[in-house]
Structure formats: structure tokens, C-alpha cells
Amino acid sequence: MRRSRRTTYENRWLRFEAHDMVHPNGRPGEHGVVITPRASATVVLDGDDVILARQARYAIDRNVLEIVKGGADGDESPQAAAERELREELGIAAARWDALGFVYEIPSIMQEGVSLFLARDVRAVEKDPEDVETIEAVRMPFRDAYLAAARGELNDAVTGLALLRAAQRLEDEQRAQ
């Protein structure tokens, strides 16, 4: 049970709150919660290839290969956020969008989850990254990306689960034909 909360840090991407609370066993305590905008993430399929984004991730001091992800602006729908992020980060627009469900990144500390999408029938458009982003598009066969995630070579959790769901969607579509 939450008793009270206070903001301890905030910037344009997130807010960190300290919550005074009571644990399920009845003991009082404090818990940190990260508040972010609703997020969307997209598996971009171009023929048999997937297009991923390689970018620096500060917390782990590494470049990470992942699907395109980002937070919604205001009341933007999950798909509209996914479309905007894809355009901004990779300079890609898609004619076909399929929802792949919803996931929580770290439900113990993060309040919002991530809506997953599969984008197909893609075309190049003007790229418009945020002023702090440097993103490289990386194309590879979808199967190679899926296997890299399964083998632990792609370590972003949202990317791994999105590739798994996209693979299942593609398999289901083949069976239905």
C-alpha cells in the first residue's frame, strides 16, 4: 500500500519517485518508482530482413542493438508514438502495422509498459532524431536477429520479446495461408 510519494529527480524523459509504503507482509518501507511516458517499440521488417537501431545506452556504458523504442508525446496513441519514433530514429515509414501486445520492462520499479508493434511495407523518409540521439540503422536477416536474441547476443529484453512475438505472428500467418 502506498502511503505517500515525493519526487526526488525529474527530467524531460522520466521522473523518479520515492514512495513511503507498506509491504505485503505489513512492514513499512520505501520503494523507488520510475515514471516515464507510455512507450512503444517496433520490429521493422523489410522483406526477410529486420532493421534494428544501434545506439549508446548511458547506464550500461555500451552501444546496444535493439528495436526502435520511445515514449509517447502527451495523448499520442501507442501506434502513433511507434510511427513517429520509427520516422525520427531510422527515417522509415511503414504502410502495415500489427500490434504484438504489451510488456513491462521492469515491473518492480517502472510504472509504464511498452506497446509492441510489427511494421511492414516500409519506405525511406526523412530522419529527424532528437538532439541527443546518434542512431545507426543495422539491417540483418530476421532469423539471424531472432537467433541472436535467443542465444544471448542481443541483450535488450524488449527487443528479445518483440522478436519472439514477431516470429510467432509470421509463423501464424504462414500457417493460415
Side-chain angles (χ1 to χ4, degrees), residues 32-96:
V33 178
V34 178
I35 311 295
T36 61
R38 287 172 288 106
S40 295
T42 305
V43 174
V44 181
L45 201 59
D46 187 14
D48 292 333
D49 289 346
V50 66
I51 304 171
L52 302 171
R54 184 186 320 274
Q55 62 183 314
R57 292 301 189 190
Y58 181 82
I60 61 171
D61 195 25
R62 291 194 175 132
N63 285 323
V64 176
L65 190 57
E66 60 192 25
I67 61 175
V68 171
K69 295 184 272 192
D73 289 338
D75 290 339
E76 192 175 41
S77 73
Q79 184 174 325
E83 290 176 13
R84 178 184 45 74
E85 288 290 334
L86 184 56
R87 196 173 47 256
E88 288 176 0
E89 294 188 0
L90 295 183
I92 293 174
R96 181 173 176 189

Side-chain angles (χ1 to χ4, degrees), residues 11 17 39 42 71 73 79 107 111 113 127-128 156:
N11 66 25
E17 296 179 347
T42 305
D73 289 338
Q79 184 174 325
Q111 190 173 40
K127 189 175 174 179
D128 185 26
D156 176 69

Side-chain angles (χ1 to χ4, degrees), residues 7 18 20-21 31 33-34 39 71 81 85 89 92 98 100 111 114 127-129 136 138 156 160 170:
T7 297
D20 292 319
M21 48 89 73
H31 196 82
V33 178
V34 178
E85 288 290 334
E89 294 188 0
I92 293 174
D98 297 302
L100 297 176
Q111 190 173 40
V114 181
K127 189 175 174 179
D128 185 26
E136 172 193 2
V138 176
D156 176 69
L170 296 171

Side-chain angles (χ1 to χ4, degrees), residues 115-146:
S115 295
L116 303 177
F117 293 93
L118 174 60
R120 294 183 265 190
D121 300 334
V122 300
R123 71 185 191 317
V125 295
E126 187 174 339
K127 189 175 174 179
D128 185 26
E130 289 186 32
D131 58 348
V132 297
E133 291 180 321
T134 303
I135 300 170
E136 172 193 2
V138 176
R139 176 184 289 271
M140 67 173 58
F142 178 84
R143 179 159 171 73
D144 290 356
Y146 174 82

